[in-house]
Amino acid sequence: MALFRSGLLVLTTPLASLAPRLAPILTSAARLVNHTLYVHLQPGMSLEGPAQPQSCPVQATFEVLDFITHFYAGADAHRHLDVRILLSNIRTKNTFLPPLPNLVQNLAHPPEVVLTDFQTLDGSQYNPVKQQLERYATSCYSCCPQLCSVLLYPDYGSGELPVEAPDVPLPSTIRPDSPVARSPKQPVRGYQRGAVGGTFDRLHNAHKILLSVACVLAQEQLVVGVADKDLLKSKLLPELLQPYAERVEHLSEFLVDIKPSLTFDIIPLLDPYGPAGSDPSLEFLVVSEETYRGGMAVNRFRLENDLQELALYQIQLLKDLNHKENEEDKVSSSSFRQRMLGSLLRPPEKRTDLPPHLYVIGLTGISGSGKSSIAQRLKGLGAFVIDSDRLGHQAYAPGGPAYQPVVEAFGTDILHKDGIINRKVLGSRVFGNKKQLKILTDIMWPVIAKLARVEMDQAVAEGKQVCVIDAAVLLEAGWQNMVHEVWTVVIPETEAVRRIVERDGLSEAAAQSRLQSQMNGQQLVNQSHVVLSTLWEPEVTQCQVEKAWALLQKRIPKMLSGP
């Protein structure tokens, strides 16, 4: 059981010797810390001498950059931890900064415990060493007043590891754009100003590697481009992206924590080049394997505009060892968004005016989203399904509750010879005419809502616990007020157009016009509790629905237990 929300891990073992112990050290730290784990590198420091240890500059070499990469890669096994490797004491070859000042660095989450890999001679929790550790931590960083300390050794060690592990170079993960081969001990060059860009949705360890390398290279200012607007359209499940302001907030906190001496210029990235293509003062650009070609394109663009090329630093992609078959094999925000499908995104609503033992889901989505197929899957799991389209037909039928009001509002020329309302004629009257459409919906929506409540009573009579209202206009009609949760089915608009054309025989223009007359996926998701998607194979959709159903069963008892 984790005991502390925030911790500081001070690593004192030489990096090459530390590499084999990374996994057990992280596992031990994850047992003690359950939220933010700061990491401070001070290889070679002793905590057993009489003198108070001081923070010393650590030469930034490619070995250090590789270690940072491998640490974040190892931390991906503990995703509940927000790991942040602190870089203030890591200095490049031609640093522009003065020697380390004796200032205490403020951290966004002051550590409640300080941990270390330092090994006492007998492997015990030796109090003088712990006191030195606490004094060292508080001389460097703002910590909680009641700071605790823990010596992780020998808990993280498997007695098979020697005290001095062999110096095995870490695999290379950083590739400077240079024909000269790099070596682990080779110092890293520093630059005054550089850039890095990305979407930075749900800041994860692959992002942190990219940002950390950029922070080590930059000595004065780092320009960070954050993708926005048109650059988000091609993203998978863009409706689930964090808003720009939220992404910037998380990004800013991380950057200021790891290297507060830098000036950060965080700006929206609205085109593929961004400031990297036009700012003459920039000297380097950090890219991933995936975006390396984009970095090359930036340099071509700069040369065409008489600007110097940027030094490119390419970072290997971080492999996701736990990815599912339909997910990317790298650590990515896209996979994280996929894993959100079927999960509860916001607390459900208490509805005291609904039947007391019935839990009501409002299922919606844009035309062509596959909403009705989801409804049938939920029916197969035991839900009672109310089809609002069927209720609409029922209301329009001669003798139905909406028949006479509609005829009075639109005239008898909307009728077939047999007296049935000609929905095509009626549709042509209201399409593109907001005033006429409002007249129709003001008649129809309250009637359908009333019919839906009758069907809810039928669901209770049949002993059903879950009722699903399948309704494309759920939110437009205000029916969210008679459901506990809104579930939305999303797909890309291009896929929706393709499906509508194929299903209804419409032209692409007509299909797009239909979609433009509805709330879009983002507007629907903004008011939703659960999001699903039919973008992949049917079995993937089924897994999503089963996951959503299983999670729903867990929260229903609490929601129906009373006020």
mmCIF file of all heavy atoms in Angstrom, residues 428-468:
data_model
loop_
_atom_site.group_PDB
_atom_site.id
_atom_site.type_symbol
_atom_site.label_atom_id
_atom_site.label_comp_id
_atom_site.label_asym_id
_atom_site.label_seq_id
_atom_site.Cartn_x
_atom_site.Cartn_y
_atom_site.Cartn_z
ATOM 1 N N SER A 428 -39.235 18.066 -46.322
ATOM 2 C CA SER A 428 -38.820 19.130 -47.250
ATOM 3 C C SER A 428 -39.295 20.502 -46.771
ATOM 4 O O SER A 428 -38.683 21.517 -47.071
ATOM 5 C CB SER A 428 -39.361 18.839 -48.658
ATOM 6 O OG SER A 428 -40.776 18.936 -48.672
ATOM 7 N N ARG A 429 -40.410 20.520 -46.016
ATOM 8 C CA ARG A 429 -40.928 21.780 -45.492
ATOM 9 C C ARG A 429 -40.004 22.364 -44.416
ATOM 10 O O ARG A 429 -39.828 23.578 -44.328
ATOM 11 C CB ARG A 429 -42.310 21.558 -44.860
ATOM 12 C CG ARG A 429 -43.409 21.290 -45.841
ATOM 13 C CD ARG A 429 -44.024 22.614 -46.350
ATOM 14 N NE ARG A 429 -45.224 22.307 -47.122
ATOM 15 C CZ ARG A 429 -46.439 22.256 -46.590
ATOM 16 N NH1 ARG A 429 -46.625 22.502 -45.309
ATOM 17 N NH2 ARG A 429 -47.466 21.974 -47.364
ATOM 18 N N VAL A 430 -39.467 21.485 -43.584
ATOM 19 C CA VAL A 430 -38.710 21.973 -42.411
ATOM 20 C C VAL A 430 -37.206 22.013 -42.653
ATOM 21 O O VAL A 430 -36.473 22.712 -41.943
ATOM 22 C CB VAL A 430 -39.009 21.104 -41.169
ATOM 23 C CG1 VAL A 430 -40.487 21.129 -40.840
ATOM 24 C CG2 VAL A 430 -38.514 19.672 -41.331
ATOM 25 N N PHE A 431 -36.707 21.281 -43.660
ATOM 26 C CA PHE A 431 -35.257 21.230 -43.864
ATOM 27 C C PHE A 431 -34.738 22.608 -44.285
ATOM 28 O O PHE A 431 -35.209 23.202 -45.240
ATOM 29 C CB PHE A 431 -34.885 20.192 -44.926
ATOM 30 C CG PHE A 431 -33.393 20.013 -45.081
ATOM 31 C CD1 PHE A 431 -32.684 19.278 -44.153
ATOM 32 C CD2 PHE A 431 -32.708 20.612 -46.130
ATOM 33 C CE1 PHE A 431 -31.308 19.118 -44.276
ATOM 34 C CE2 PHE A 431 -31.334 20.460 -46.261
ATOM 35 C CZ PHE A 431 -30.632 19.717 -45.333
ATOM 36 N N GLY A 432 -33.772 23.116 -43.541
ATOM 37 C CA GLY A 432 -33.176 24.413 -43.849
ATOM 38 C C GLY A 432 -34.021 25.593 -43.419
ATOM 39 O O GLY A 432 -33.651 26.743 -43.641
ATOM 40 N N ASN A 433 -35.167 25.321 -42.781
ATOM 41 C CA ASN A 433 -36.054 26.391 -42.312
ATOM 42 C C ASN A 433 -36.169 26.272 -40.790
ATOM 43 O O ASN A 433 -36.953 25.474 -40.270
ATOM 44 C CB ASN A 433 -37.430 26.261 -42.967
ATOM 45 C CG ASN A 433 -38.330 27.451 -42.662
ATOM 46 O OD1 ASN A 433 -38.316 27.990 -41.552
ATOM 47 N ND2 ASN A 433 -39.133 27.844 -43.646
ATOM 48 N N LYS A 434 -35.362 27.044 -40.081
ATOM 49 C CA LYS A 434 -35.288 26.894 -38.626
ATOM 50 C C LYS A 434 -36.631 27.144 -37.941
ATOM 51 O O LYS A 434 -36.986 26.476 -36.969
ATOM 52 C CB LYS A 434 -34.224 27.846 -38.054
ATOM 53 C CG LYS A 434 -32.803 27.450 -38.402
ATOM 54 C CD LYS A 434 -31.791 28.377 -37.743
ATOM 55 C CE LYS A 434 -30.365 27.946 -38.091
ATOM 56 N NZ LYS A 434 -29.361 28.853 -37.466
ATOM 57 N N LYS A 435 -37.396 28.121 -38.467
ATOM 58 C CA LYS A 435 -38.678 28.458 -37.846
ATOM 59 C C LYS A 435 -39.660 27.297 -37.968
ATOM 60 O O LYS A 435 -40.319 26.905 -36.989
ATOM 61 C CB LYS A 435 -39.251 29.710 -38.504
ATOM 62 C CG LYS A 435 -40.522 30.220 -37.853
ATOM 63 C CD LYS A 435 -41.002 31.508 -38.520
ATOM 64 C CE LYS A 435 -42.320 31.989 -37.886
ATOM 65 N NZ LYS A 435 -42.803 33.234 -38.540
ATOM 66 N N GLN A 436 -39.746 26.728 -39.179
ATOM 67 C CA GLN A 436 -40.651 25.603 -39.405
ATOM 68 C C GLN A 436 -40.199 24.362 -38.626
ATOM 69 O O GLN A 436 -41.027 23.624 -38.070
ATOM 70 C CB GLN A 436 -40.723 25.274 -40.895
ATOM 71 C CG GLN A 436 -41.408 26.343 -41.743
ATOM 72 C CD GLN A 436 -42.910 26.435 -41.434
ATOM 73 O OE1 GLN A 436 -43.656 25.486 -41.605
ATOM 74 N NE2 GLN A 436 -43.334 27.610 -40.982
ATOM 75 N N LEU A 437 -38.881 24.155 -38.568
ATOM 76 C CA LEU A 437 -38.347 23.005 -37.832
ATOM 77 C C LEU A 437 -38.687 23.109 -36.350
ATOM 78 O O LEU A 437 -39.063 22.119 -35.706
ATOM 79 C CB LEU A 437 -36.830 22.910 -38.025
ATOM 80 C CG LEU A 437 -36.135 21.737 -37.311
ATOM 81 C CD1 LEU A 437 -36.683 20.404 -37.818
ATOM 82 C CD2 LEU A 437 -34.616 21.802 -37.522
ATOM 83 N N LYS A 438 -38.596 24.326 -35.809
ATOM 84 C CA LYS A 438 -38.898 24.522 -34.384
ATOM 85 C C LYS A 438 -40.378 24.246 -34.101
ATOM 86 O O LYS A 438 -40.726 23.656 -33.069
ATOM 87 C CB LYS A 438 -38.530 25.928 -33.925
ATOM 88 C CG LYS A 438 -38.681 26.133 -32.415
ATOM 89 C CD LYS A 438 -38.209 27.487 -31.977
ATOM 90 C CE LYS A 438 -38.191 27.604 -30.457
ATOM 91 N NZ LYS A 438 -39.454 27.231 -29.812
ATOM 92 N N ILE A 439 -41.233 24.645 -35.026
ATOM 93 C CA ILE A 439 -42.662 24.360 -34.857
ATOM 94 C C ILE A 439 -42.883 22.846 -34.753
ATOM 95 O O ILE A 439 -43.625 22.355 -33.889
ATOM 96 C CB ILE A 439 -43.479 24.942 -36.030
ATOM 97 C CG1 ILE A 439 -43.461 26.482 -35.971
ATOM 98 C CG2 ILE A 439 -44.914 24.426 -36.012
ATOM 99 C CD1 ILE A 439 -44.057 27.157 -37.207
ATOM 100 N N LEU A 440 -42.197 22.101 -35.637
ATOM 101 C CA LEU A 440 -42.343 20.645 -35.644
ATOM 102 C C LEU A 440 -41.778 20.018 -34.368
ATOM 103 O O LEU A 440 -42.432 19.172 -33.736
ATOM 104 C CB LEU A 440 -41.660 20.056 -36.878
ATOM 105 C CG LEU A 440 -41.733 18.528 -37.020
ATOM 106 C CD1 LEU A 440 -43.185 18.066 -37.129
ATOM 107 C CD2 LEU A 440 -40.924 18.049 -38.219
ATOM 108 N N THR A 441 -40.543 20.413 -34.000
ATOM 109 C CA THR A 441 -39.925 19.790 -32.820
ATOM 110 C C THR A 441 -40.650 20.174 -31.533
ATOM 111 O O THR A 441 -40.710 19.372 -30.591
ATOM 112 C CB THR A 441 -38.434 20.165 -32.720
ATOM 113 O OG1 THR A 441 -38.303 21.596 -32.686
ATOM 114 C CG2 THR A 441 -37.651 19.601 -33.895
ATOM 115 N N ASP A 442 -41.227 21.364 -31.478
ATOM 116 C CA ASP A 442 -41.991 21.757 -30.292
ATOM 117 C C ASP A 442 -43.219 20.868 -30.105
ATOM 118 O O ASP A 442 -43.694 20.665 -28.983
ATOM 119 C CB ASP A 442 -42.442 23.222 -30.395
ATOM 120 C CG ASP A 442 -41.314 24.206 -30.089
ATOM 121 O OD1 ASP A 442 -40.246 23.744 -29.629
ATOM 122 O OD2 ASP A 442 -41.493 25.418 -30.312
ATOM 123 N N ILE A 443 -43.710 20.322 -31.209
ATOM 124 C CA ILE A 443 -44.831 19.381 -31.135
ATOM 125 C C ILE A 443 -44.324 17.976 -30.793
ATOM 126 O O ILE A 443 -44.839 17.305 -29.886
ATOM 127 C CB ILE A 443 -45.606 19.328 -32.477
ATOM 128 C CG1 ILE A 443 -46.259 20.683 -32.770
ATOM 129 C CG2 ILE A 443 -46.635 18.216 -32.459
ATOM 130 C CD1 ILE A 443 -46.824 20.790 -34.186
ATOM 131 N N MET A 444 -43.296 17.543 -31.525
ATOM 132 C CA MET A 444 -42.886 16.138 -31.481
ATOM 133 C C MET A 444 -42.098 15.755 -30.229
ATOM 134 O O MET A 444 -42.336 14.684 -29.650
ATOM 135 C CB MET A 444 -42.051 15.794 -32.727
ATOM 136 C CG MET A 444 -42.829 15.842 -34.025
ATOM 137 S SD MET A 444 -44.211 14.672 -34.041
ATOM 138 C CE MET A 444 -43.369 13.113 -33.796
ATOM 139 N N TRP A 445 -41.131 16.569 -29.841
ATOM 140 C CA TRP A 445 -40.226 16.152 -28.763
ATOM 141 C C TRP A 445 -40.929 15.897 -27.436
ATOM 142 O O TRP A 445 -40.662 14.877 -26.787
ATOM 143 C CB TRP A 445 -39.093 17.174 -28.617
ATOM 144 C CG TRP A 445 -38.092 17.097 -29.749
ATOM 145 C CD1 TRP A 445 -38.002 16.114 -30.693
ATOM 146 C CD2 TRP A 445 -37.066 18.030 -30.049
ATOM 147 N NE1 TRP A 445 -36.970 16.373 -31.565
ATOM 148 C CE2 TRP A 445 -36.368 17.554 -31.186
ATOM 149 C CE3 TRP A 445 -36.650 19.226 -29.485
ATOM 150 C CZ2 TRP A 445 -35.297 18.226 -31.758
ATOM 151 C CZ3 TRP A 445 -35.566 19.908 -30.043
ATOM 152 C CH2 TRP A 445 -34.895 19.412 -31.168
ATOM 153 N N PRO A 446 -41.854 16.763 -26.997
ATOM 154 C CA PRO A 446 -42.554 16.455 -25.736
ATOM 155 C C PRO A 446 -43.401 15.181 -25.840
ATOM 156 O O PRO A 446 -43.509 14.421 -24.870
ATOM 157 C CB PRO A 446 -43.440 17.687 -25.509
ATOM 158 C CG PRO A 446 -42.792 18.784 -26.297
ATOM 159 C CD PRO A 446 -42.221 18.111 -27.502
ATOM 160 N N VAL A 447 -44.003 14.950 -27.017
ATOM 161 C CA VAL A 447 -44.827 13.751 -27.214
ATOM 162 C C VAL A 447 -43.953 12.493 -27.114
ATOM 163 O O VAL A 447 -44.320 11.509 -26.438
ATOM 164 C CB VAL A 447 -45.549 13.805 -28.586
ATOM 165 C CG1 VAL A 447 -46.181 12.459 -28.920
ATOM 166 C CG2 VAL A 447 -46.597 14.909 -28.584
ATOM 167 N N ILE A 448 -42.801 12.509 -27.805
ATOM 168 C CA ILE A 448 -41.899 11.335 -27.772
ATOM 169 C C ILE A 448 -41.400 11.101 -26.349
ATOM 170 O O ILE A 448 -41.315 9.956 -25.890
ATOM 171 C CB ILE A 448 -40.727 11.529 -28.755
ATOM 172 C CG1 ILE A 448 -41.247 11.551 -30.200
ATOM 173 C CG2 ILE A 448 -39.689 10.421 -28.587
ATOM 174 C CD1 ILE A 448 -40.194 11.905 -31.243
ATOM 175 N N ALA A 449 -41.064 12.177 -25.624
ATOM 176 C CA ALA A 449 -40.599 12.039 -24.239
ATOM 177 C C ALA A 449 -41.680 11.365 -23.382
ATOM 178 O O ALA A 449 -41.386 10.496 -22.550
ATOM 179 C CB ALA A 449 -40.241 13.403 -23.665
ATOM 180 N N LYS A 450 -42.941 11.755 -23.594
ATOM 181 C CA LYS A 450 -44.041 11.169 -22.828
ATOM 182 C C LYS A 450 -44.202 9.692 -23.157
ATOM 183 O O LYS A 450 -44.395 8.848 -22.264
ATOM 184 C CB LYS A 450 -45.334 11.935 -23.135
ATOM 185 C CG LYS A 450 -46.468 11.636 -22.192
ATOM 186 C CD LYS A 450 -47.648 12.579 -22.456
ATOM 187 C CE LYS A 450 -48.790 12.301 -21.482
ATOM 188 N NZ LYS A 450 -49.942 13.207 -21.702
ATOM 189 N N LEU A 451 -44.104 9.350 -24.447
ATOM 190 C CA LEU A 451 -44.177 7.946 -24.861
ATOM 191 C C LEU A 451 -43.013 7.134 -24.278
ATOM 192 O O LEU A 451 -43.184 5.962 -23.906
ATOM 193 C CB LEU A 451 -44.181 7.842 -26.389
ATOM 194 C CG LEU A 451 -45.423 8.390 -27.110
ATOM 195 C CD1 LEU A 451 -45.201 8.375 -28.617
ATOM 196 C CD2 LEU A 451 -46.663 7.578 -26.742
ATOM 197 N N ALA A 452 -41.837 7.765 -24.209
ATOM 198 C CA ALA A 452 -40.653 7.082 -23.646
ATOM 199 C C ALA A 452 -40.880 6.741 -22.174
ATOM 200 O O ALA A 452 -40.493 5.664 -21.700
ATOM 201 C CB ALA A 452 -39.412 7.946 -23.816
ATOM 202 N N ARG A 453 -41.515 7.635 -21.451
ATOM 203 C CA ARG A 453 -41.772 7.377 -20.026
ATOM 204 C C ARG A 453 -42.761 6.215 -19.850
ATOM 205 O O ARG A 453 -42.648 5.428 -18.900
ATOM 206 C CB ARG A 453 -42.289 8.646 -19.341
ATOM 207 C CG ARG A 453 -41.175 9.675 -19.120
ATOM 208 C CD ARG A 453 -41.637 10.859 -18.306
ATOM 209 N NE ARG A 453 -40.551 11.817 -18.089
ATOM 210 C CZ ARG A 453 -39.711 11.790 -17.051
ATOM 211 N NH1 ARG A 453 -39.829 10.838 -16.128
ATOM 212 N NH2 ARG A 453 -38.772 12.699 -16.935
ATOM 213 N N VAL A 454 -43.719 6.104 -20.772
ATOM 214 C CA VAL A 454 -44.631 4.953 -20.736
ATOM 215 C C VAL A 454 -43.843 3.656 -20.930
ATOM 216 O O VAL A 454 -44.083 2.646 -20.248
ATOM 217 C CB VAL A 454 -45.723 5.094 -21.827
ATOM 218 C CG1 VAL A 454 -46.551 3.817 -21.933
ATOM 219 C CG2 VAL A 454 -46.621 6.304 -21.535
ATOM 220 N N GLU A 455 -42.866 3.684 -21.857
ATOM 221 C CA GLU A 455 -42.055 2.488 -22.116
ATOM 222 C C GLU A 455 -41.135 2.172 -20.938
ATOM 223 O O GLU A 455 -40.811 1.011 -20.699
ATOM 224 C CB GLU A 455 -41.255 2.670 -23.413
ATOM 225 C CG GLU A 455 -42.139 2.810 -24.638
ATOM 226 C CD GLU A 455 -41.713 1.928 -25.797
ATOM 227 O OE1 GLU A 455 -40.601 1.375 -25.753
ATOM 228 O OE2 GLU A 455 -42.520 1.767 -26.738
ATOM 229 N N MET A 456 -40.701 3.218 -20.213
ATOM 230 C CA MET A 456 -39.903 2.967 -19.003
ATOM 231 C C MET A 456 -40.715 2.145 -18.001
ATOM 232 O O MET A 456 -40.186 1.215 -17.370
ATOM 233 C CB MET A 456 -39.478 4.290 -18.366
ATOM 234 C CG MET A 456 -38.401 5.044 -19.103
ATOM 235 S SD MET A 456 -37.940 6.530 -18.150
ATOM 236 C CE MET A 456 -37.282 7.567 -19.448
ATOM 237 N N ASP A 457 -41.989 2.491 -17.856
ATOM 238 C CA ASP A 457 -42.857 1.732 -16.946
ATOM 239 C C ASP A 457 -42.979 0.284 -17.427
ATOM 240 O O ASP A 457 -43.023 -0.653 -16.607
ATOM 241 C CB ASP A 457 -44.248 2.375 -16.874
ATOM 242 C CG ASP A 457 -44.209 3.749 -16.199
ATOM 243 O OD1 ASP A 457 -43.279 3.990 -15.407
ATOM 244 O OD2 ASP A 457 -45.102 4.571 -16.485
ATOM 245 N N GLN A 458 -43.001 0.091 -18.764
ATOM 246 C CA GLN A 458 -43.051 -1.257 -19.323
ATOM 247 C C GLN A 458 -41.766 -2.027 -18.981
ATOM 248 O O GLN A 458 -41.815 -3.215 -18.661
ATOM 249 C CB GLN A 458 -43.228 -1.191 -20.842
ATOM 250 C CG GLN A 458 -43.259 -2.532 -21.552
ATOM 251 C CD GLN A 458 -44.427 -3.419 -21.107
ATOM 252 O OE1 GLN A 458 -45.498 -2.915 -20.792
ATOM 253 N NE2 GLN A 458 -44.204 -4.727 -21.051
ATOM 254 N N ALA A 459 -40.616 -1.319 -19.031
ATOM 255 C CA ALA A 459 -39.333 -1.948 -18.681
ATOM 256 C C ALA A 459 -39.355 -2.434 -17.239
ATOM 257 O O ALA A 459 -38.882 -3.539 -16.930
ATOM 258 C CB ALA A 459 -38.188 -0.954 -18.889
ATOM 259 N N VAL A 460 -39.910 -1.605 -16.335
ATOM 260 C CA VAL A 460 -40.010 -1.993 -14.923
ATOM 261 C C VAL A 460 -40.910 -3.214 -14.786
ATOM 262 O O VAL A 460 -40.588 -4.167 -14.050
ATOM 263 C CB VAL A 460 -40.545 -0.812 -14.076
ATOM 264 C CG1 VAL A 460 -40.813 -1.270 -12.638
ATOM 265 C CG2 VAL A 460 -39.555 0.345 -14.081
ATOM 266 N N ALA A 461 -42.035 -3.208 -15.523
ATOM 267 C CA ALA A 461 -42.980 -4.336 -15.461
ATOM 268 C C ALA A 461 -42.323 -5.635 -15.922
ATOM 269 O O ALA A 461 -42.654 -6.719 -15.427
ATOM 270 C CB ALA A 461 -44.206 -4.030 -16.322
ATOM 271 N N GLU A 462 -41.367 -5.526 -16.837
ATOM 272 C CA GLU A 462 -40.658 -6.716 -17.338
ATOM 273 C C GLU A 462 -39.477 -7.097 -16.448
ATOM 274 O O GLU A 462 -38.749 -8.045 -16.740
ATOM 275 C CB GLU A 462 -40.178 -6.475 -18.770
ATOM 276 C CG GLU A 462 -41.297 -6.357 -19.785
ATOM 277 C CD GLU A 462 -40.785 -6.178 -21.213
ATOM 278 O OE1 GLU A 462 -39.574 -6.442 -21.454
ATOM 279 O OE2 GLU A 462 -41.580 -5.776 -22.088
ATOM 280 N N GLY A 463 -39.260 -6.344 -15.384
ATOM 281 C CA GLY A 463 -38.176 -6.657 -14.443
ATOM 282 C C GLY A 463 -36.807 -6.213 -14.903
ATOM 283 O O GLY A 463 -35.785 -6.688 -14.397
ATOM 284 N N LYS A 464 -36.751 -5.279 -15.847
ATOM 285 C CA LYS A 464 -35.464 -4.784 -16.344
ATOM 286 C C LYS A 464 -34.880 -3.740 -15.384
ATOM 287 O O LYS A 464 -35.625 -2.950 -14.790
ATOM 288 C CB LYS A 464 -35.628 -4.156 -17.730
ATOM 289 C CG LYS A 464 -36.079 -5.132 -18.811
ATOM 290 C CD LYS A 464 -34.987 -6.131 -19.149
ATOM 291 C CE LYS A 464 -35.377 -6.982 -20.349
ATOM 292 N NZ LYS A 464 -34.304 -7.952 -20.694
ATOM 293 N N GLN A 465 -33.573 -3.748 -15.253
ATOM 294 C CA GLN A 465 -32.911 -2.767 -14.385
ATOM 295 C C GLN A 465 -32.303 -1.626 -15.190
ATOM 296 O O GLN A 465 -32.166 -0.515 -14.697
ATOM 297 C CB GLN A 465 -31.809 -3.452 -13.559
ATOM 298 C CG GLN A 465 -31.215 -2.546 -12.486
ATOM 299 C CD GLN A 465 -30.135 -3.228 -11.670
ATOM 300 O OE1 GLN A 465 -29.303 -3.959 -12.217
ATOM 301 N NE2 GLN A 465 -30.136 -2.997 -10.367
ATOM 302 N N VAL A 466 -31.946 -1.897 -16.465
ATOM 303 C CA VAL A 466 -31.319 -0.888 -17.320
ATOM 304 C C VAL A 466 -32.201 -0.636 -18.536
ATOM 305 O O VAL A 466 -32.628 -1.578 -19.212
ATOM 306 C CB VAL A 466 -29.909 -1.320 -17.785
ATOM 307 C CG1 VAL A 466 -29.310 -0.274 -18.718
ATOM 308 C CG2 VAL A 466 -28.993 -1.549 -16.596
ATOM 309 N N CYS A 467 -32.456 0.642 -18.798
ATOM 310 C CA CYS A 467 -33.238 1.048 -19.957
ATOM 311 C C CYS A 467 -32.390 1.991 -20.804
ATOM 312 O O CYS A 467 -31.769 2.913 -20.277
ATOM 313 C CB CYS A 467 -34.506 1.750 -19.482
ATOM 314 S SG CYS A 467 -35.492 2.459 -20.796
ATOM 315 N N VAL A 468 -32.328 1.760 -22.112
ATOM 316 C CA VAL A 468 -31.539 2.584 -23.031
ATOM 317 C C VAL A 468 -32.487 3.313 -23.979
ATOM 318 O O VAL A 468 -33.280 2.673 -24.676
ATOM 319 C CB VAL A 468 -30.546 1.721 -23.843
ATOM 320 C CG1 VAL A 468 -29.824 2.576 -24.889
ATOM 321 C CG2 VAL A 468 -29.537 1.060 -22.919
#
